[in-house]
Amino acid sequence: MTTPQQARTHEPMATLDVDHSDAEYRHWLKEAVRKVQADANRSADTHLLRFPLPEKWGIDLYLKDESTHPTGSLKHRLARSLFLYSLCNGWIRRGRPVIEASSGSTAVSEAYFAKLIGVPFIAVMPRTTSAEKCRLIEFHGAQCHFVDDPRKMYEESARLAADTGGHFMDQFTYAERATDWRGNNNIAESIYRQLELERYPEPAWIVATAGTGGTSATIARYVHYMQYDTRICVADPENSCFFEGWTTGNADVTTDCGSRIEGIGRPRMEPSFVPGAVDRMMKVPDAASVAAVRALEQSIGRKAGGSTGTGLWSALKIIAEMVATDRTGSVVTLLCDPGDRYLDKYYSDEWLAGQGLDIAPYAKAIESLLATGVWPD
């Protein structure tokens, strides 16, 4: 069976039947690139929301609200970058499908861009992906192709690409290189620009979560490039290998099942995850992630997906450490996508019971912190 690596090796061979100097092809390519760039040009920046904390702490917590993108998630940025990267490399061809391995949000965004430039799209995804995400993918005219084992998404995507003559986008390899981390209005540059008039314009910490690892790599590289003192923390859910790979330095570590927190956590160390660029990692229980998104709704009236809860839990633990050591400053994390995609999961007590998740102790820990400034033992 063709592996993703073999598919990438053989990919240029698949384009030999296309004359890239042909005027018709070049016209199509220019139009496709223009349409993708125009999407960014007509989109306003996403908001930076404040999470209410006691004023006496001298700490500000912000959430970068990526749910306001046209496709409703942080992955809209990634999908746009991946399409531009692949188009400019000559990998996407007229009439041939783009195929992606995705647990949902990336596939929704890529389906949008595929429709925008007029090519078919197939999302290879776990059978447990939320029904709402599947509906959104199909809304954009794309096809959902399910696998029972999330670890098989890569090879199944490569097989489909080989069988159809299409392009396997492979976000898990190309996320970190498709995005211009030096600037060009990436998410990191946007965060710092929006903080310019705040009392702590250079955050003490930025907390990200990792699916591909592209967002944490972009933010961390930008921080180092701009010579900021900000530290980067990556929060990792259960059933994900990133934390173990980071702490042990073992790039071959794997897990035997997929993450319950859609969009983040992986069963293998993905090529786009850059462990050396980040300063700290936290392992977050799934029940804590759910408790955090429910606390977010109580605090600012917004539902968010589970990945937001994973990052928020870690941000609150960092804030507790800052309070305990009398440090002031700002902390930024991400609101990755809206909670209405997960009403049958993270906002369903029946689903929690079926998964054996008890969020009560974690909800009490958050309540204790916000009331007293002390994280319970």
Side-chain angles (χ1 to χ4, degrees), residues 4-300:
Q5 290 75 21
Q6 289 170 332
R8 290 194 293 274
T9 300
H10 295 160
E11 197 161 36
M13 296 296 293
T15 68
L16 288 180
D17 60 338
V18 177
D19 182 358
H20 283 205
S21 66
D22 177 72
E24 186 178 353
Y25 167 78
R26 290 300 295 271
H27 174 73
W28 176 85
L29 178 61
K30 287 173 67 175
E31 275 297 288
V33 171
R34 181 193 64 78
K35 289 175 181 177
V36 176
Q37 290 183 332
D39 173 84
N41 198 48
R42 63 176 174 264
S43 298
D45 202 354
T46 59
H47 298 293
L48 201 60
L49 308 178
R50 289 193 65 178
F51 185 100
L53 296 176
E55 184 71 20
K56 64 181 180 181
W57 291 1
I59 300 171
D60 297 327
L61 173 59
Y62 303 90
L63 292 101
K64 180 69 166 162
D65 184 9
E66 295 292 287
S67 71
T68 57
H69 284 294
T71 53
S73 82
L74 168 67
K75 300 300 186 180
H76 194 85
R77 293 181 190 266
L78 172 60
R80 183 194 296 131
S81 295
L82 287 168
F83 265 81
L84 286 173
Y85 189 76
S86 296
L87 283 165
C88 293
N89 282 336
W91 294 346
I92 297 176
R93 282 87 69 185
R94 290 173 295 172
R96 300 191 186 183
V98 170
I99 295 135
E100 183 63 283
S102 170
S103 62
S105 287
T106 301
V108 173
S109 298
E110 289 188 10
Y112 166 91
F113 283 105
K115 183 178 181 180
L116 187 68
I117 67 171
V119 297
F121 181 77
I122 302 172
V124 179
M125 54 209 306
R127 199 171 297 280
T128 56
T129 300
S130 73
E132 178 61 12
K133 282 185 178 177
C134 297
R135 185 192 70 79
L136 289 170
I137 291 166
E138 292 170 348
F139 172 79
H140 293 298
Q143 175 186 343
C144 297
H145 182 95
F146 297 105
V147 295
D148 293 314
D149 184 346
R151 295 171 295 179
K152 300 297 184 183
M153 290 196 303
Y154 316 96
E155 58 186 286
E156 183 65 7
S157 297
R159 183 192 68 79
L160 286 172
D163 289 350
T164 63
H167 169 56
F168 174 24
M169 191 72 89
D170 195 3
Q171 59 166 322
F172 298 105
T173 293
Y174 293 107
E176 56 88 13
R177 68 193 72 173
T179 302
D180 184 358
W181 51 268
R182 295 172 185 85
N184 195 24
N185 194 33
N186 66 37
I187 189 170
E189 184 181 52
S190 175
I191 288 170
Y192 281 90
R193 185 176 63 250
Q194 291 176 312
L195 285 172
E196 285 177 352
L197 299 181
E198 301 299 308
R199 60 175 175 171
Y200 306 114
E202 184 177 330
W205 286 91
I206 297 177
V207 180
T209 51
T212 63
T215 298
S216 61
T218 297
I219 294 173
R221 286 167 166 171
Y222 182 81
V223 164
H224 301 321
Y225 180 68
M226 297 299 293
Q227 304 163 58
Y228 291 127
D229 291 326
T230 304
R231 299 296 186 261
I232 307 301
C233 175
V234 173
D236 202 34
E238 294 178 27
N239 303 328
S240 176
C241 68
F242 287 139
F243 179 83
E244 183 181 351
W246 185 82
T247 53
T248 65
N250 181 8
D252 296 322
V253 66
T254 61
T255 62
D256 59 4
C257 60
S259 171
R260 283 183 293 205
I261 306 301
E262 287 190 23
I264 61 171
R266 300 301 304 159
R268 70 175 192 183
M269 291 288 282
E270 300 294 352
S272 282
F273 179 63
V274 184
V278 303
D279 300 285
R280 178 178 183 179
M281 288 198 70
M282 289 190 193
K283 195 71 172 179
V284 179
D286 290 347
S289 298
V290 177
V293 292
R294 294 192 177 192
L296 177 68
E297 183 181 16
Q298 294 172 0
S299 296
I300 68 172

Side-chain angles (χ1 to χ4, degrees), residues 51-54 57 291-292 294-296 298-299 313 316 359-376:
F51 185 100
L53 296 176
W57 291 1
R294 294 192 177 192
L296 177 68
Q298 294 172 0
S299 296
W313 175 266
L316 290 171
I359 68 171
Y362 303 100
K364 289 180 180 178
I366 295 172
E367 291 173 7
S368 174
L369 169 67
L370 298 179
T372 67
V374 177
W375 193 266

Side-chain angles (χ1 to χ4, degrees), residues 342-365:
Y342 309 97
L343 297 179
D344 59 344
K345 286 193 170 184
Y346 313 128
Y347 293 91
S348 167
D349 292 338
E350 291 77 12
W351 183 84
L352 291 176
Q355 295 291 316
L357 296 176
D358 180 10
I359 68 171
Y362 303 100
K364 289 180 180 178

